């Protein structure tokens, strides 16, 4: 019987995450409440709260799942994103895929920010302490160091990743202009590692 409960819990978790993602594709973040997610997932509101604790935690878990999929692609997937390509080509592929991820999940990122603001969730970790950011930063700085041992790879990685949070860039991502941003990152990376 215990095994069945775990399978049900796993199915509920996936249903809740899928429902949240689908609602965020169709509606502004402020319209995606726990109640709407629960109804779309076919579970009770209490199930969502029991599983995730809050709307913010639900959105963070959804973002973490997307980030884990991306991390698996750049650590284990085929080149040029995954191992086996030159550092410059891996970095170009990384930022191309990252801009797509950011553009597709713009409402999710906005929902996380909206949830943090509306729930008074203070004391949250700084961006550079976030495990997702640390993983991306470690990957980017390692590739920069492989391509250019004479530069401060860690600092440049912060600078490149940090641009995604600047308002002009974030605005372009929300508008779906990821191809233009990916081309700009490619120019920067190729110039740096030339």
């Amino acid at each position: 019987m215990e095994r069945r409960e775990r399978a049900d819990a796993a199915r509920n978790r996936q249903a809740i995450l899928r429902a949240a993602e689908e609602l965020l594709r169709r509606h502004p973040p402020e319209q995606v409440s726990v109640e709407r997610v629960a109804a779309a997932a076919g579970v009770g509101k209490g199930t969502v709260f029991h599983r995730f604790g809050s709307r913010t935690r639900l959105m963070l878990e959804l973002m973490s799942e997307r980030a884990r999929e991306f991390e698996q692609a750049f650590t284990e997937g085929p080149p040029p994103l995954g191992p086996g390509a030159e550092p410059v080509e891996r970095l170009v592929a990384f930022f191309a895929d990252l801009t797509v991820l950011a553009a597709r999940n713009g409402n999710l990122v906005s929902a996380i920010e909206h949830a943090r603001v509306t729930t008074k969730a203070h004391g949250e970790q700084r961006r550079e302490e976030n495990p997702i950011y640390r993983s991306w930063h470690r990957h980017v700085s390692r590739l920069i160091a492989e391509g250019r041992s004479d530069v401060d790879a860690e600092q440049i990685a912060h600078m490149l990743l940090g641009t995604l949070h600047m308002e002009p860039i974030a605005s372009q991502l929300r508008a779906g202009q990821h191809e233009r941003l990916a081309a700009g990152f490619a120019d920067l990376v190729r110039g740096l590692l030339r």
Side-chain angles (χ1 to χ4, degrees):
M1 185 67 176
E2 187 178 335
R3 185 179 193 108
R4 173 92 172 126
E5 290 172 349
R6 280 191 290 223
D8 287 348
R11 275 196 302 277
N12 283 345
R13 178 182 178 280
Q14 286 304 312
I16 292 165
L17 291 173
R18 276 194 308 272
E21 187 171 43
E22 183 57 33
L23 286 168
L24 285 167
R25 279 196 189 111
R26 295 180 306 173
H27 303 285
E30 61 275 7
Q31 293 179 9
V32 180
S33 64
V34 168
E35 292 82 2
R36 283 186 88 172
V37 171
V43 301
K45 181 172 115 173
T47 301
V48 178
F49 280 115
H50 176 74
R51 181 69 190 174
F52 298 98
S54 69
R55 180 176 180 271
T56 304
R57 298 270 317 254
L58 167 62
M59 298 303 165
L60 288 170
E61 182 60 27
L62 181 55
M63 189 67 213
S64 292
E65 188 162 294
R66 297 300 158 258
R68 280 190 294 274
E69 293 166 1
F70 179 51
E71 181 172 11
Q72 185 174 9
F74 71 72
T75 58
E76 302 170 17
L81 182 59
E86 291 296 316
V88 65
E89 295 311 317
R90 290 193 72 194
L91 278 171
V92 167
F94 175 88
F95 282 107
D97 282 22
L98 182 57
T99 57
V100 170
L101 178 71
R104 283 188 182 151
N105 291 285
N107 271 356
L108 175 56
V109 173
S110 294
I112 291 168
E113 295 302 319
H114 179 263
R116 284 179 172 163
V117 167
T118 59
T119 59
K120 301 177 187 172
H122 300 301
E124 304 205 356
Q125 61 189 192
R126 294 173 23 216
R127 182 174 294 126
E128 55 274 12
E129 295 169 349
N130 181 293
I132 295 168
Y133 181 87
R134 284 199 321 258
S135 167
W136 295 353
H137 179 266
R138 186 171 45 251
H139 179 68
V140 170
S141 59
R142 184 179 55 77
L143 290 174
I144 292 170
E146 282 180 32
R148 285 278 306 270
S149 60
D150 62 322
V151 299
D152 185 345
E154 289 187 11
Q155 184 63 31
I156 293 171
H158 281 306
M159 294 166 74
L160 289 170
L161 290 167
T163 61
L164 291 167
H165 300 282
M166 294 171 52
E167 184 45 42
I169 303 300
S171 175
Q172 288 178 43
L173 287 169
R174 287 191 299 272
Q177 297 177 1
H178 59 86
E179 292 170 354
R180 180 178 178 202
L181 291 170
F185 275 119
D187 290 341
L188 285 170
V189 166
R190 288 193 172 111
L192 174 66
L193 300 184
R194 182 172 299 151

